[in-house]
Amino acid sequence: GDQVEQSPSALSLHEGTGSALRCNFTTTMRAVQWFQQNSRGSLINLFYLASGTKENGRLKSTFNSKESYSTLHIRDAQLEDSGTYFCAAGSSNTNKVVFGTGTRLQVLP
Amino acid sequence: NAGVIQTPRHKVTGKGQEATLWCEPISGHSAVFWYRQTIVQGLEFLTYFRNQAPIDDSGMPKERFSAQMPNQSHSTLKIQSTQPQDSAVYLCASSFSQNTLYFGAGTRLSVL
C-alpha cells in the first residue's frame, strides 16, 4: 500500500541552528502536508504543497512529485519549535491521506 | 471560526462498553477524516467522508468500529464492546475539497 518513510525519527538542535527533515513516498502523491504536533497534542498546519517550494518565516518546504519526496527545512531553530513533525501525503490513486512516522525535534538552549 | 471541534476531550470506558466520539467539521468543508494515534502505530487512517458520503473506510477495523455522517455539521465514530487495545487518541480532520487538512484537538479514549 501507500507508504510514507520519514527521517530522521529524532533530532536535537541547538537554538539558532537548522536542519532538514525528509519524507520519501513509495507511490506518486498528488500533494503533501507538513504538521507540527505540539506538547498538547494539537496538529498545527505548516504547509500544503501540490508542487514546488513554499517558505514561511524560518520554515521552508519542497515537494518533488517526480522523485517522490518532500523536505522541511528549519533554520534558526527556537525553543518553541520543539515537538513532533509529521508529513502527510495524498495518493493519486486513493482518497487516503497517509502520515509519516514523525520526527521528534528537541531544540536545546 | 472555531475550527474542528471534537467531543469529549477525554473518555474513559470499561472493557466491553460502547464509546461514541463526536466531530464537528469546519463549516463549509466537504471532507471529514478520522485517524487514530498511538505511540506504537503512529497516526493511522480510519475512514473518510466526502459530502457526507462514506468514500473510504479501509482503515476501519472490520468489527466493532463504525462511522457515520448524518449531516454536514457532524460525524460520529462508534466503538462497540471496547477493548484495551482501542485506547488511543482519535483525531478528526476536515478539509475543503481534499486540500489542507485541519485537525481537531482529539478525543483521548482510555479503555480500562
Side-chain angles (χ1 to χ4, degrees):
Chain A
D2 300 337
Q3 285 196 348
V4 179
E5 299 165 354
Q6 187 171 346
S7 62
S9 57
L11 179 64
S12 290
L13 294 174
H14 285 284
E15 274 186 297
T17 65
S19 190
L21 316 180
R22 183 177 174 112
C23 283
N24 293 323
F25 312 116
T26 57
T27 60
T28 301
M29 299 297 191
R30 54 179 166 72
V32 67
Q33 281 188 245
W34 285 91
F35 297 88
Q36 179 197 27
Q37 190 166 39
N38 61 21
S39 57
R40 289 164 56 182
S42 297
L43 280 161
I44 301 164
N45 289 299
L46 299 176
F47 293 104
Y48 175 92
L49 297 103
S51 66
T53 298
K54 286 187 179 179
E55 194 163 352
N56 184 2
R58 296 177 292 99
L59 300 178
K60 182 172 73 173
S61 181
T62 296
F63 176 40
N64 188 322
S65 57
K66 283 188 179 177
E67 297 186 21
S68 296
Y69 75 89
S70 177
T71 57
L72 177 68
H73 291 259
I74 302 173
R75 64 175 175 83
D76 188 23
Q78 303 298 306
L79 295 176
E80 62 265 27
D81 295 334
S82 295
T84 303
Y85 290 77
F86 291 95
C87 66
S91 167
S92 300
N93 298 323
T94 73
N95 298 294
K96 282 195 240 186
V97 175
V98 181
F99 277 77
T101 50
T103 297
R104 186 184 295 258
L105 172 65
Q106 183 181 32
V107 180
L108 306 169
Chain B
N1 191 334
V4 176
I5 299 171
Q6 288 190 250
T7 54
R9 289 297 313 278
H10 303 274
K11 186 167 182 66
V12 180
T13 66
K15 184 179 173 181
Q17 292 183 331
E18 181 177 287
T20 300
L21 313 180
W22 294 72
C23 173
E24 180 181 330
I26 293 172
S27 177
H29 281 190
S30 55
V32 170
F33 297 78
W34 284 95
Y35 287 83
R36 174 170 64 180
Q37 186 174 25
T38 60
I39 292 174
V40 173
Q41 297 294 332
L43 274 153
E44 299 176 276
F45 169 83
L46 295 176
T47 189
Y48 158 55
F49 293 87
R50 186 170 63 227
N51 295 323
Q52 299 172 233
I55 301 298
D56 185 340
D57 67 353
S58 58
M60 292 277 275
K62 294 307 173 195
E63 296 177 357
R64 303 186 296 105
F65 281 64
S66 62
Q68 286 84 35
M69 191 161 184
N71 57 58
Q72 63 186 9
S73 64
H74 87 272
S75 174
T76 57
L77 180 68
K78 185 179 292 186
I79 308 172
Q80 295 177 312
S81 185
T82 54
Q83 303 297 310
Q85 61 265 30
D86 299 332
S87 297
V89 176
Y90 289 83
L91 291 157
C92 175
S94 71
S95 72
F96 179 73
S97 192
Q98 285 186 268
N99 287 325
T100 307
L101 291 183
Y102 293 89
F103 279 87
T107 295
R108 182 176 295 278
L109 176 66
S110 299
V111 182
L112 305 178

